[in-house]
Amino acid sequence: MLSIDVNKLSIRPGLRALDIGCGSGRHTAAIARYNGVQVIGADINVADVIEAKKRLLFQERLEGKHGRWGLLAAGIHRLPFTDNFFDLIVCSEILEHIPDHRKAVAEAVRVLKPGGHMVVSVPRFFPERICWALSREYHTADNGHLRIYRKNELVRLLEGSGLKKWASHYAHSLHSPYWWLKCLTGPNRKDVRVVNLYHDLLTWDIMKRPWITRFLDSLLNPVLGKSLVLYLRKVKTEDWRPKVKNET
């Protein structure tokens, strides 16, 4: 299940990409399907890095090798790469977990080439607010969600760090009711039949991608999309200056 639309990006041979907070490697694997690319998945959770490796090796066995890939355990606040190294950075469902999100964005921008692209996704304000209202446990658990972003607020944060938004959309509308049900019945419960059935439906949808659920998802995304996805370009140094409020 991808949050980003890779068709919006100019993925070409020789492109270097970084998937920050790659988790089980869904976006890393999607980029690795392109011939001649180099993609690195990074996550602070070693168990997730191991799962990402399994996913990528399975994909290679199934489809053959296309791009080159690598994985490492690393956090977003200190990336082991030189300045202006990557052409593309994916940061999906990460910033809402991080206390110092400004420092995290600055570090990601540091390793992105001028003119390179960054794709950022976070939980959308409206569906996320309902989750917070239904369950305190949902956002106070370890590694839980620390904040809810409004679209304009997130754009200001990113553009204030040297990026410029050029596109956006919403994703995963079919997942919003699932999370509302989980929050209503208890986020960590495994014995709620209706929630388990809904989870099975989402798993089936991800695996089979039938046209009917794809159609419903695209139809409902503008209203119920669980994730906000932003596409940005790093502004060249000579064209960008930090925004400073006028003081009187």
Side-chain angles (χ1 to χ4, degrees):
M1 179 190 67
L2 300 181
S3 297
I4 74 171
D5 182 355
V6 293
N7 294 319
K8 288 183 175 292
L9 303 167
S10 179
I11 300 180
R12 62 194 184 279
L15 176 137
R16 289 177 176 171
L18 173 66
D19 182 9
I20 302 176
C22 67
S24 64
R26 55 197 175 117
H27 291 109
T28 308
I31 296 170
R33 283 193 169 100
Y34 287 81
N35 290 323
V37 303
Q38 302 174 56
V39 57
I40 294 175
D43 201 289
I44 199 168
N45 188 324
V46 176
D48 282 344
V49 173
I50 293 171
E51 288 303 309
K53 182 177 181 180
K54 293 178 182 177
R55 177 194 291 263
L56 285 152
L57 289 174
F58 177 77
Q59 178 174 288
E60 281 192 356
R61 287 195 297 270
L62 195 66
E63 304 175 10
K65 189 176 180 66
H66 299 283
R68 296 171 58 192
W69 56 267
L71 298 164
L72 75 157
I76 192 173
H77 288 114
R78 184 175 294 180
L79 297 170
F81 306 103
T82 59
D83 296 355
N84 309 321
F85 189 78
F86 292 99
D87 303 287
L88 170 65
I89 291 179
V90 175
C91 183
S92 181
E93 312 297 315
I94 299 300
L95 294 180
E96 68 273 13
H97 297 278
I98 298 175
D100 193 345
H101 60 169
R102 293 186 184 278
K103 182 178 179 182
V105 170
E107 178 67 352
V109 172
R110 178 186 68 79
V111 301
L112 180 65
K113 292 179 181 178
H117 296 277
M118 183 181 296
V119 189
V120 176
S121 75
V122 298
R124 186 182 185 178
F125 181 86
F126 166 63
E128 184 75 350
R129 176 59 71 186
I130 293 177
C131 288
W132 282 46
L134 292 173
S135 172
R136 184 174 184 274
E137 186 181 5
Y138 170 81
H139 64 91
T140 58
D142 289 344
N143 200 35
H145 295 188
L146 302 178
R147 64 183 65 83
I148 306 176
Y149 290 101
R150 293 185 182 274
K151 181 178 180 179
N152 290 340
E153 173 192 3
L154 181 59
V155 171
R156 284 196 300 270
L157 168 67
L158 296 167
E159 291 193 339
S161 300
L163 302 168
K164 183 66 177 177
K165 179 180 78 71
W166 56 268
S168 66
H169 65 79
Y170 300 105
H172 312 318
S173 63
L174 299 182
H175 290 245
S176 291
Y178 168 75
W179 281 102
W180 296 340
L181 282 172
K182 276 187 70 71
C183 289
L184 185 64
T185 58
N188 294 318
R189 289 185 61 181
K190 307 293 185 182
D191 60 341
V192 182
R193 181 169 175 78
V194 65
V195 174
N196 293 338
L197 288 173
Y198 203 143
H199 181 270
D200 292 342
L201 171 65
L202 294 177
T203 301
W204 172 79
D205 174 51
I206 292 169
M207 299 298 294
K208 301 297 184 180
R209 297 184 61 82
W211 72 267
I212 184 64
T213 54
R214 296 301 87 216
F215 172 75
L216 287 174
D217 195 48
S218 62
L219 182 69
L220 295 173
N221 273 335
V223 180
L224 292 179
K226 180 74 167 65
S227 295
L228 163 66
V229 188
L230 300 177
Y231 300 80
L232 310 104
R233 181 181 292 106
K234 184 174 179 178
V235 181
K236 294 180 180 179
T237 305
E238 59 269 22
D239 298 330
W240 177 78
R241 296 291 183 274
K243 295 180 181 179
V244 180
K245 292 183 180 179
N246 294 327
E247 296 183 0
T248 58

